Amino acid sequence: MVSSSEERRRSREETAKRVPFVVIPDTPSVLVTVTDSAFREVAHAMGTIDTTLPPGIYRIEQRFGGAVESRFVEVGTEPFVERLALPDMPTATPVEGTPTTREDHRAAAVRWSTEATHGGGPPTLMVLIRNLRRGWQLDPFALEIADECGTPVDGGAGGWEPAGGQEWSAWSGELPPGGYRLRTRRKPADGLTLAQALHVLDGWTTLVFVSNGPQGPQPQFASIQMVPRGVGWQPADRTLDLALEAALSGLRQGIDLVSTRQLLGLLDAKSVNPFLGIIGAHALLLHPTPDLGRIGSILERLVHHAPAQPDIAALCTLLGEPVPPVASPPMLAASCRLLVRADSADPGILQDGSVAESAAEHMVGRGVWTTWLEQELKQKQEREHGPGIAARGGLVPPVPGVVGGVRRPRAADPVERVQRYVREIASVEDKSVDDVLRTMEPKDLSRRTGMPHKAVDKAIGELRRPQGKPQGE
């Protein structure tokens, strides 16, 4: 039997064998994990690791956004200190130290975030398309900026400033506060145009960084920032840029990838940045036990500075705060889902007949941003209001089930999606449709299908109508 004194002696000897072990990543948003030669985890932290370890072989793994890098190191009898370079993760923003930074791209962002390529005055919106790999063809006029009704506002190809050598293309201009959309200028082969929500705030410039891939611009992977109007993008603020990139990557994957300490430090800064606050609040919601009190204090400051911003309104619904009806789609898909959930419990949060409601009904899963089938939205408006002006001008005859000469998928219709869900439940549970509707409240059906209350109410009404009986009877 080992005596207590012997145990203490052994413990002292083991402690004496341990040496300081310090690992310092390039940014606090890197998750560092250390395992020993038996693959047992001995240390992990978001940011710097400062501990003691016995001599041996260790594996250091670091994760930043979607990138993972690892290497083996030998720890001897002397203190071990290692600085880790940032993992190679491409970023749409030309952040210093990332594999996709380019000095000419950074210069373009600095210039066109304060100068206009279209019109005059300090810009309130800048879109910068960046070619991340030499040799890829870049169409400098591939993207189009439209207002909330779908009318182009970017001045066509003449409003864009392309770079020689197909390195980048920029658009910047002064737009009134409100909702906008980003889409491809040329109609896709399938005739279904995707629109991506943007928002311009009074006193701020919205910066949209879009990477160009082998098939053209990739707005679904865009990075978005907001800076005070007239100040422009600040390339020196590397810590902020990397924190935003890590938070956006976490939202894409549905996991927490940003340092809470770093995030809260940025959120508690004296100057309120609305978009940083929005991203930060959503990043905090990814925690296993979200700090709603902290999120509430963030929202108090955000509402004071930007009461009409739809992403902020969406976060307010999470805390039970009263919000006016939201008419513009929020930029983040996570915000749109919050609004749909709130609309199911309190019909009208998504303003009836608004672009926000229609975008929620036709939203597609395409990254972190609110993206919807624009042609489906146009056809819905034509069904409800009769033939009208197409998004690009000109009268268009409404053809049931056909968009741009291509028959649209049945699953794209929000009412049909709800009806199909109810019928599938009835089939699985061996019940009638009426029985399912009697036992499932509309708000639960809205929550399960992700559809706003208006589409759910219409689907329920049609399901309960006797077969063959026309609508309105």
Side-chain angles (χ1 to χ4, degrees):
M1 183 175 180
V2 181
S3 65
S4 59
S5 60
E6 180 67 15
E7 288 180 349
R8 287 194 297 270
R9 183 186 66 81
R10 289 183 179 179
S11 176
R12 286 196 298 269
E13 289 179 351
E14 290 176 359
T15 302
K17 293 179 182 177
R18 300 172 74 92
V19 297
F21 182 90
V22 180
V23 174
I24 307 171
D26 204 22
T27 174
S29 293
V30 172
L31 175 63
V32 182
T33 305
V34 182
T35 53
D36 61 16
S37 56
F39 303 105
R40 293 173 300 201
E41 183 180 299
V42 295
H44 79 275
M46 188 75 80
T48 299
I49 286 181
D50 188 353
T51 185
T52 59
L53 293 175
I57 303 297
Y58 295 90
R59 179 175 180 263
I60 301 176
E61 178 187 89
Q62 55 173 338
R63 294 174 177 265
F64 175 73
V68 181
E69 286 187 0
S70 64
R71 57 174 153 162
F72 289 94
V73 298
E74 182 177 2
V75 176
T77 57
E78 299 296 323
F80 179 90
V81 179
E82 187 89 349
R83 287 189 173 273
L84 303 177
L86 189 72
D88 286 342
M89 187 183 84
T91 60
T93 307
V95 185
E96 180 185 357
T98 60
T100 50
T101 188
R102 296 276 300 279
E103 186 56 39
D104 54 340
H105 293 185
R106 292 156 61 82
V110 171
R111 178 180 180 182
W112 299 118
S113 59
T114 54
E115 296 181 28
T117 67
H118 178 63
T124 56
L125 176 67
M126 182 203 77
V127 179
L128 180 65
I129 310 173
R130 302 178 55 223
N131 215 349
L132 301 186
R133 181 177 297 180
R134 296 183 187 276
W136 282 349
Q137 185 174 357
L138 186 150
D139 179 356
F141 315 117
L143 295 181
E144 181 177 71
I145 302 161
D147 64 14
E148 197 156 79
C149 297
T151 304
V153 295
D154 61 354
W160 289 75
E161 178 74 21
Q166 296 200 336
E167 295 297 334
W168 53 263
S169 181
W171 186 94
S172 58
E174 185 179 12
L175 296 177
Y180 294 88
R181 63 183 73 176
L182 187 66
R183 63 190 177 200
T184 55
R185 191 176 302 277
R186 296 176 181 173
K187 186 177 295 184
D190 60 7
L192 300 177
T193 303
L194 294 176
Q196 189 166 305
L198 296 177
H199 201 87
V200 169
L201 274 178
D202 188 23
W204 293 84
T205 302
T206 300
L207 310 177
V208 185
F209 297 92
V210 181
S211 60
N212 184 64
Q215 305 301 320
Q218 306 174 104
Q220 69 271 28
F221 300 125
S223 292
I224 295 179
Q225 298 185 16
M226 283 185 184
V227 295
R229 186 179 181 187
V231 172
W233 184 63
Q234 302 293 323
D237 203 348
R238 182 171 180 269
T239 299
L240 170 61
D241 290 340
L242 289 175
L244 281 172
E245 292 295 336
L248 286 173
S249 183
L251 288 174
R252 291 186 185 102
Q253 302 175 60
I255 54 178
D256 175 27
L257 292 177
V258 67
S259 163
T260 302
R261 175 170 53 85
Q262 179 189 18
L263 187 63
L264 294 183
L266 294 171
L267 293 175
D268 290 339
K270 292 183 180 180
S271 59
V272 176
N273 184 312
F275 193 68
L276 178 59
I278 291 166
I279 293 293
H282 277 289
L284 290 175
L285 288 174
L286 294 175
H287 290 205
T289 54
D291 186 346
L292 295 181
R294 170 67 68 173
I295 295 174
S297 64
I298 294 170
L299 288 178
E300 283 183 10
R301 303 170 68 195
L302 293 179
V303 168
H304 177 72
H305 287 81
Q309 213 283 342
D311 290 271
I312 296 174
L315 288 165
C316 288
T317 66
L318 183 70
L319 301 178
E321 298 290 336
V323 297
V326 176
S328 298
M331 288 193 288
L332 283 167
S335 298
C336 195
R337 289 190 289 269
L338 287 178
L339 288 173
V340 170
R341 184 188 306 174
D343 186 73
S344 67
D346 184 11
I349 292 294
L350 284 169
Q351 184 173 305
D352 288 350
S354 67
V355 178
E357 181 191 60
S358 299
E361 290 178 348
H362 300 94
M363 190 167 69
V364 297
R366 197 169 182 256
V368 71
W369 309 112
T370 299
T371 307
W372 68 94
L373 287 170
E374 188 178 58
Q375 297 288 355
E376 289 292 333
L377 170 57
K378 183 182 70 175
Q379 188 185 52
K380 175 180 182 291
Q381 293 171 335
E382 290 167 356
R383 287 199 306 267
E384 293 182 351
H385 306 294
I389 303 297
R392 315 243 177 154
L395 291 172
V396 290
V399 181
V402 176
V403 180
V406 178
R407 184 161 298 278
R408 64 179 172 82
R410 290 175 60 83
D413 186 282
V415 175
E416 291 178 3
R417 287 168 61 182
V418 176
Q419 291 174 342
R420 183 163 58 182
Y421 178 82
V422 172
R423 293 189 180 104
E424 287 175 353
I425 293 295
S427 176
V428 170
E429 298 183 357
D430 195 22
K431 296 180 179 178
S432 68
V433 168
D434 285 339
D435 287 339
V436 173
L437 294 178
R438 276 194 294 269
T439 57
M440 186 180 297
E441 293 187 17
K443 65 179 181 180
D444 293 328
L445 191 54
S446 178
R447 177 177 54 83
R448 295 188 185 188
T449 59
M451 289 291 106
H453 82 278
K454 191 174 180 181
V456 171
D457 292 344
K458 186 174 181 180
I460 292 174
E462 291 184 2
L463 286 170
R464 284 176 170 164
R465 188 182 309 122
Q467 189 171 7
K469 190 174 182 178
Q471 187 173 357
E473 290 187 13

